[in-house]
Amino acid sequence: MQGSSKIFDPDRQEMTNDIRVDSVEIRLIRLPLNEPFETSFGSIDSRLVFLVCLKADGMSGWGEVVASEEPRYSYETVGTAFHVIRDFLGPALVTQPIANLSEFAKQLSPFRGHNMAKAGLELAFMDLMAQASQQSLSALIGGERERVAVGVSLGIQPDVPQLLQRVERYLSLGYQRIKLKIKPGWDIDVVAEVRRTHPDILLSVDANSAYTLSDQDHLKKLDEFDLLMIEQPLQNDDLIDHARLQKVMSTSICLDESIVSQRQAKMALELESCRIINIKVGRVGGYSETLGIHDLCKTQDIPVWCGGMLESGIGRAHNIALASLSGFTLPGDISASSRYFQRDIISPEVTVASDGTVTVPQTVGLGFEVDLDFIDSLTETREYISRTKL
Ligand code: OSB
Ligand code: MG
């Protein structure tokens, strides 16, 4: 397969220097959202952002833990991730030098679950690897695109006119695909209205597990709107009922919540539970699993795309690198920094060009400057895990 295999290769020539992590710094900052974001599981008006900074050999590698404050999208929360990194994962990383991504993943694999916590650390490690090998994150993982196509995810609105206004706004900014959050009571009629107003746009819906298989006759009504996909209609851990639903719906099912590992992806493809997979690096536990799912889907011609978790610029930068892989063939939920935040913690901020693409940075590491002064001024909680402390 393409470039991604090289970072698993323990004998890789150019990566002779092990990375010795001196310390893990975790901190929480709160960024207000420009407007509330509502899904089938509730509404938020600010993002408590969990940042990870690994220090090694004078370098700082940055990652983000995408867990939410409440265990609604998944069981993980900012609080559980803080505990698990501080007490288990962080101490395991500072014990010995780590040569590559597979060694990194192996170091954390004895700890079960907590994928978002693991991923936050792995993102930071990959930023270090990119810096140590003097390449961009995208180049490090074998990314092939210079620009990635993006769409926008629109939360549930108080009424249809307000939704239509937002659809209008993001289309005029160039976004290539509109995704509507749906739930019982905010679904068929709403989608019908958006489709009537915009007959030709790429349109999809995301239910965040708000239905069960007993709703199949209702969900089948979505088939007439020529949707690109319906994302995670049924239970968060289900594969079987999604396979049943996919058999009776013409709209492609895309799984999000249900795919938490490469094994789950393999099962979903064998069971034909979906025709598309949304990859979120946090949900699956990091780059290592992401690359595995990407490669698996590519061999089976299953399109993947990069999901989002209202990331700050740091998580967003990693998402851009991932979306540059050749198998990411559908627009990602990678919006401009300004779609969510008044001011982002990186510079330059992420911007979306009028053709609905984001440029993949080619400079070393993350490809953006981390605005440490701004982060410092926002920091609410901070903790260090270092070798000397052990
Ligand atoms: O299901 O894709 C989802 C945000 C939080 C939790 C789950 C989801 C989302 C989004 C937002 O849809 C995507 C984004 O970051 O823009
Ligand atoms: Mg989703």
Side-chain angles (χ1 to χ4, degrees):
M1 212 137 309
Q2 38 79 36
S4 61
S5 57
K6 70 176 186 242
I7 54 177
F8 291 109
D9 180 2
D11 303 321
R12 195 167 156 246
Q13 288 303 304
E14 62 268 48
M15 281 308 301
T16 47
N17 291 333
D18 287 356
I19 290 180
R20 198 174 170 83
V21 177
D22 297 318
S23 69
V24 180
E25 183 193 66
I26 49 180
R27 55 167 114 196
L28 306 182
I29 65 173
R30 189 176 292 279
L31 292 177
L33 296 178
N34 289 333
E35 61 178 29
F37 188 77
E38 183 175 339
T39 63
S40 61
F41 41 68
S43 179
I44 56 166
D45 54 22
S46 69
R47 183 77 171 106
L48 186 60
V49 177
F50 188 140
L51 298 176
V52 176
C53 181
L54 296 185
K55 298 248 167 44
D57 202 18
M59 300 177 296
S60 295
W62 288 90
E64 178 169 347
V65 175
V66 299
S68 312
E69 286 174 77
E70 299 184 4
R72 295 184 187 272
Y73 169 80
S74 85
Y75 68 85
E76 288 190 86
T77 67
V78 167
T80 66
F82 205 87
H83 156 60
V84 166
I85 292 179
R86 184 190 56 204
D87 298 335
F88 305 109
L89 308 180
L93 283 186
V94 295
T95 53
Q96 64 188 76
I98 301 167
N100 52 41
L101 179 58
S102 69
E103 257 189 50
F104 183 94
K106 220 178 284 166
Q107 197 72 12
L108 299 187
S109 65
F111 301 102
R112 194 162 290 176
H114 299 282
N115 282 353
M116 293 177 181
K118 288 174 179 168
L121 292 166
E122 218 183 86
L123 298 185
F125 178 76
M126 289 295 275
D127 183 13
L128 286 177
M129 289 256 294
Q131 292 175 47
S133 59
Q134 286 293 299
Q135 50 190 333
S136 67
L137 273 176
S138 169
L140 176 67
I141 61 172
E144 293 175 14
R145 293 173 210 284
E146 289 176 4
R147 313 188 64 79
V148 298
V150 302
V152 69
S153 171
L154 297 180
I156 293 161
Q157 302 296 323
D159 54 47
V160 173
Q162 293 191 56
L163 176 64
L164 288 171
Q165 207 178 44
R166 280 161 184 76
V167 170
E168 219 57 75
R169 182 197 303 164
Y170 290 101
L171 287 174
S172 73
L173 290 171
Y175 286 87
Q176 294 189 21
R177 179 268 293 141
I178 300 286
K179 163 171 135 183
L180 309 176
K181 291 290 190 181
I182 58 167
K183 66 174 183 182
W186 180 266
D187 49 21
I188 314 296
D189 299 346
V190 175
V191 175
E193 199 49 31
V194 173
R195 183 46 102 196
R196 197 184 57 76
T197 322
H198 300 282
D200 301 320
I201 60 169
L202 278 185
L203 184 64
S204 66
V205 295
D206 184 356
N208 288 114
S209 307
Y211 302 90
T212 66
L213 192 59
S214 63
D215 298 311
Q216 67 168 287
D217 291 338
H218 181 70
L219 290 169
K220 273 159 65 177
K221 294 182 193 154
L222 290 169
D223 278 342
E224 69 175 281
F225 303 117
D226 192 25
L227 299 176
L228 182 60
M229 69 188 85
I230 174 170
E231 196 178 330
Q232 195 73 34
L234 311 181
Q235 290 91 336
N236 70 293
D237 59 353
D238 170 78
L239 295 176
I240 302 274
D241 281 358
H242 280 101
R244 293 196 176 108
L245 182 63
Q246 184 64 95
K247 275 204 172 60
V248 301
M249 275 191 94
S250 59
T251 306
S252 291
I253 292 179
C254 167
L255 288 179
D256 174 349
E257 283 91 329
S258 290
I259 308 297
V260 296
S261 68
Q262 195 180 328
R263 287 186 55 257
Q264 229 66 30
K266 188 163 171 284
M267 287 191 260
L269 299 191
E270 283 200 31
L271 291 167
E272 299 182 34
S273 311
C274 63
R275 299 188 195 131
I276 299 173
I277 290 180
N278 161 332
I279 300 185
K280 291 180 183 168
V281 70
R283 193 191 68 229
V284 304
Y287 273 94
S288 178
E289 286 292 312
T290 292
L291 295 170
I293 296 170
H294 166 268
D295 293 356
L296 172 73
C297 288
K298 211 175 156 191
T299 61
Q300 302 196 24
D301 284 327
I302 294 288
V304 301
W305 56 281
C306 184
M309 290 293 291
L310 287 83
E311 288 89 349
S312 78
I314 289 175
R316 217 160 277 273
H318 285 282
N319 285 345
I320 294 167
L322 287 169
S324 74
L325 290 167
S326 60
F328 283 74
T329 53
L330 294 171
D333 275 345
I334 305 173
S335 41
S337 301
S338 61
R339 183 260 182 277
Y340 288 116
F341 310 115
Q342 193 67 241
R343 176 176 166 191
D344 205 341
I345 57 173
I346 54 165
S347 87
E349 300 199 339
V350 175
T351 52
V352 172
S354 56
D355 65 350
T357 62
V358 168
T359 304
V360 180
Q362 306 298 327
T363 49
V364 170
L366 214 53
F368 297 87
E369 290 299 321
V370 174
D371 189 344
L372 200 51
D373 289 340
F374 187 42
I375 291 172
D376 279 341
S377 75
L378 293 170
T379 298
E380 295 183 356
T381 310
R382 182 175 182 162
E383 188 104 24
Y384 291 96
I385 303 105
S386 63
R387 216 175 303 129
T388 50
K389 234 169 119 177
L390 291 174

